Amino acid sequence: MKDNQVVSYTLGILFSFCLIVTLLITSVEAVTYWTPGYYEREYSKYNVTEDVHMEMDDLLDVTTEMMAYLRGNREDLHVPTIVDGQPREFFNDREIAHMEDVRGLFVGALVLRRICIVTAFVCVALLWLLKADISTVCLLGNRTVFCHALCAGTCDIHRLHEIFRDLPPYFLQQ
């Protein structure tokens, strides 16, 4: 294998990995932040308001504040609300400490996605500079290393979807 092909192959694999990470993080973000009514439907489906003794509007307000905190758009998680008809803070100290760790994961994932997007663009630019043929159909010729890596990455994304598809119901049952 020529040096140029090794570099092209490595860049293709790196691009695929970055694409997988970017799409995985973006898909989680799309469900948690961009899907209108997602939490209200889930809370209704699992009768969460009865378990936490709150009205749906109050629970959705707490959720909005929590999601802002997880993205780094809110300094603390002291959220006053009404529970059992009484005003109180929704999260206790133990829950706030746990959510600090979760916030680190959320913010870290957003940073990782930015790094992967930049890396993916750099990989494509380097492949272009190396004159690697990135537009060829995967089954044609010797200069299809990038496309092979992209096809393999696409298969990996499908496998990850199959693995993670059933996680939310599993966690909710516990």
Side-chain angles (χ1 to χ4, degrees):
M1 193 180 259
K2 296 178 188 175
D3 290 340
N4 196 19
Q5 285 179 319
V6 171
V7 171
S8 294
Y9 183 76
T10 303
L11 289 171
I13 293 294
L14 181 59
F15 173 84
S16 294
F17 176 76
C18 289
L19 179 66
I20 292 167
V21 171
T22 300
L23 291 176
L24 179 63
I25 293 169
T26 302
S27 66
V28 170
E29 184 182 30
V31 170
T32 58
Y33 288 98
W34 305 340
T35 306
Y38 173 75
Y39 289 103
E40 186 172 5
R41 283 191 305 276
E42 292 299 306
Y43 291 157
S44 294
K45 181 167 58 174
Y46 294 105
N47 297 318
V48 173
T49 55
E50 293 175 17
D51 292 339
V52 296
H53 308 286
M54 293 176 67
E55 296 294 322
M56 181 64 77
D57 288 342
D58 293 330
L59 185 57
L60 291 173
D61 287 341
V62 169
T63 302
T64 299
E65 297 302 321
M66 177 184 67
M67 297 310 283
Y69 173 78
L70 291 176
R71 288 195 88 169
N73 298 332
R74 180 182 164 93
E75 288 300 314
D76 61 42
L77 204 50
H78 296 286
V79 181
T81 190
I82 306 294
V83 178
D84 265 338
Q86 301 295 317
R88 64 163 263 214
E89 288 223 8
F90 186 79
F91 297 102
N92 62 36
D93 290 338
R94 187 175 143 261
E95 292 166 334
I96 290 172
H98 167 69
M99 293 306 284
E100 287 172 0
D101 295 336
V102 174
R103 180 183 183 167
L105 293 173
F106 265 67
V107 172
L110 295 175
V111 169
L112 177 61
R113 180 179 61 187
R114 285 187 192 114
I115 291 169
C116 284
I117 289 170
V118 169
T119 303
F121 277 112
V122 168
C123 287
V124 170
L126 289 173
L127 284 164
W128 182 77
L129 288 173
L130 291 171
K131 299 189 182 338
D133 188 1
I134 63 174
S135 63
T136 310
V137 176
C138 290
L139 301 176
L140 299 177
N142 291 331
R143 295 182 48 153
T144 59
V145 175
F146 180 74
C147 287
H148 283 271
L150 186 57
C151 290
T154 303
C155 292
D156 289 341
I157 291 169
H158 178 69
R159 280 190 224 113
L160 284 173
H161 169 73
E162 292 297 317
I163 291 168
F164 289 112
R165 179 181 62 195
D166 296 324
L167 284 182
Y170 170 76
F171 287 120
L172 289 173
Q173 292 172 3
Q174 300 216 2

